[in-house]
Amino acid sequence: FNKAIESETLNEHLYNRKALLLIQMNKLDEAMECYDKAISIEPNCALFYYNKTKLLKLQGKTTEAKEIHNKAIKLDPITSCDF
């Protein structure tokens, strides 16, 4: 992922996929950085907010997760499942 990200200047989907992998490796802080980067590149993608919500829940940050989940719902109510 790192090599692909280096060659693609603004590929938000690579950051999203890298975050998913980092979560499996239990590198949650690094995964959060990737989600934040993906969102900064494409702030209107509900999927990135939804995935960040799941990570925040894993970290026990339910209040923040609810806020981010609400952003996902506003962008795309169908993409976001129930909190």
Side-chain angles (χ1 to χ4, degrees):
F1 282 105
N2 291 337
K3 286 190 181 225
I5 287 170
E6 288 173 14
S7 67
E8 298 287 330
T9 53
L10 296 176
N11 196 328
E12 63 277 11
H13 294 285
L14 287 175
Y15 283 106
N16 182 59
R17 289 185 186 110
K18 181 179 177 182
L20 294 170
L21 178 63
L22 288 167
I23 290 169
Q24 291 178 353
M25 297 169 63
N26 202 34
K27 296 184 176 187
L28 305 184
D29 291 336
E30 291 178 54
M32 187 62 72
E33 290 174 13
C34 287
Y35 284 138
D36 288 340
K37 182 67 175 177
I39 289 169
S40 74
I41 296 169
E42 181 49 65
N44 295 317
C45 182
L47 176 64
F48 301 156
Y49 289 99
Y50 174 68
N51 287 343
K52 184 175 178 176
T53 296
K54 293 192 303 187
L55 176 55
L56 287 165
K57 287 172 67 175
L58 278 175
Q59 294 176 318
K61 300 176 181 177
T62 17
T63 303
E64 190 177 348
K66 287 178 184 178
E67 292 171 12
I68 299 299
H69 188 253
N70 286 337
K71 288 182 182 182
I73 290 171
K74 286 179 184 176
L75 291 170
D76 185 355
I78 294 171
T79 300
S80 304
C81 71
D82 292 332
F83 187 80

